Amino acid sequence: MVTLRQLFEKGYFGKMLSTQLIMEQIRDHPIVATISIAVGAVLASEVMWKAVLYFRDKREKARRVHEVVCFNELGEICATQHLRNCMPGSPEPVVFRCKNKHCTLRNVGKIVEQIDRAEHSIDLAIYTFTSLTLAEAFKRALQRGVNIRIISDGEMVYSGGSQITTLARFGVPVRVPITTYMMHNKYCIIDGVERVEEIRMLKKRKWMRPCYSIAIIGSVNWTRQGFGGNWEACVITHDEKLTLMLQAEFNRMWKAFEKAENKIIQKE
């Protein structure tokens, strides 16, 4: 049984007296009490709003990116070590940390990271695409419900090891120009503003989850040779003007190649 002494030691009666004093103050001074409660509520809501802004800004900063990724002859010196850690039968591992700042797998991982963050759309204009690692990232995006479109070259789309035809069989719409000229672009827009708005209207939604537009553009084809054999560079950026311009050009090409003969294999 709890004794009175134990209750006093625990401050039980002190807490009761404090509560009683507060209630008496409220009864005796209702206006002051009301104002105090209102001020307290405002201050509490202000603190909560500041906390929301802090964590939102922290998330936004984590999503902002503006860097140049270079691929060169030094990128493969650590490849053997990374491949030892790869499970048998799986594609190349995605490496985010490596002491070699030129590491090919780590640099490819930076592109994978952006694809894995896609919320609504990915538009890719690429000359050659054979990378299994990036193809797997695209498949994960499809599973999340991300809308993907691809524009490629009319000949290279059917090159050996092409992942574009594979993705087409998964339901990704692919268009190519019917011409002797090359579709030589190598860029990707993730969650482009214009495209996200188009998706919102098509789905008749009043609101879409907030997202951040990212552009990936450079000289590199998405191939083993491009990432691990050539001297190449690409920029990964959230620059608003650049993403808007690239999205506008992709949309223009997509419309220009809308005839039936410009479309390749669809989902079987």
Side-chain angles (χ1 to χ4, degrees), residues 61-261:
K61 287 178 181 178
R63 295 296 298 270
R64 292 172 191 160
V65 59
H66 193 69
E67 66 175 316
V68 177
V69 179
C70 295
F71 300 92
N72 54 44
E73 78 282 5
L74 302 176
E76 294 293 294
I77 60 177
C78 54
T80 303
Q81 177 185 350
H82 296 315
L83 290 173
R84 284 200 201 103
N85 300 324
C86 186
M87 295 293 291
S90 64
E92 292 180 341
V94 177
V95 177
F96 295 104
R97 292 183 178 86
C98 179
K99 293 180 180 179
N100 177 15
K101 66 179 182 179
H102 303 285
C103 174
T104 295
L105 294 178
R106 187 184 69 170
N107 287 337
V108 172
K110 292 179 180 180
I111 300 175
V112 170
E113 182 180 10
Q114 298 305 322
I115 295 170
D116 283 340
R117 286 179 172 178
E119 295 274 357
H120 306 292
S121 69
I122 300 174
D123 285 336
L124 174 66
I126 194 76
Y127 181 64
T128 314
F129 181 3
T130 62
S131 170
L132 293 174
T133 301
L134 291 172
E136 289 300 316
F138 269 58
K139 291 175 186 177
R140 290 193 297 272
L142 284 173
Q143 291 171 354
R144 296 195 306 274
V146 176
N147 289 269
I148 300 175
R149 300 184 298 182
I150 298 177
I151 294 174
S152 188
D153 182 76
E155 292 185 7
M156 297 308 294
V157 73
Y158 295 109
S159 63
S162 174
Q163 293 302 304
I164 298 175
T165 50
T166 300
L167 291 170
R169 294 188 185 98
F170 276 88
V172 176
V174 179
R175 295 183 183 180
V176 300
I178 305 302
T179 176
T180 56
Y181 297 107
M182 292 187 293
M183 201 305 298
H184 210 239
N185 282 310
K186 296 110 178 174
Y187 68 81
C188 178
I189 313 105
I190 297 171
D191 292 328
V193 174
E194 189 177 346
R195 176 59 175 158
V196 172
E197 177 61 15
E198 182 183 13
I199 293 169
R200 185 191 69 79
M201 293 179 68
L202 287 171
K203 294 185 175 181
K204 298 180 180 179
R205 293 182 180 177
K206 293 182 178 180
W207 178 82
M208 297 284 275
R209 287 193 310 273
C211 57
Y212 305 92
S213 300
I214 297 292
I216 303 169
I217 182 170
S219 63
V220 63
N221 278 305
W222 288 12
T223 65
R224 179 67 181 169
Q225 181 68 27
F227 292 132
N230 299 343
W231 285 261
E232 309 275 7
C234 76
V235 175
I236 304 175
T237 180
H238 70 276
D239 184 84
E240 183 178 356
K241 186 175 181 179
L242 183 60
T243 55
L244 285 171
M245 292 175 70
L246 289 173
Q247 185 68 70
E249 174 59 12
F250 186 95
N251 291 345
R252 187 198 67 77
M253 290 193 298
W254 189 256
K255 188 174 181 180
F257 306 151
E258 65 182 349
K259 293 181 180 179
E261 59 266 28

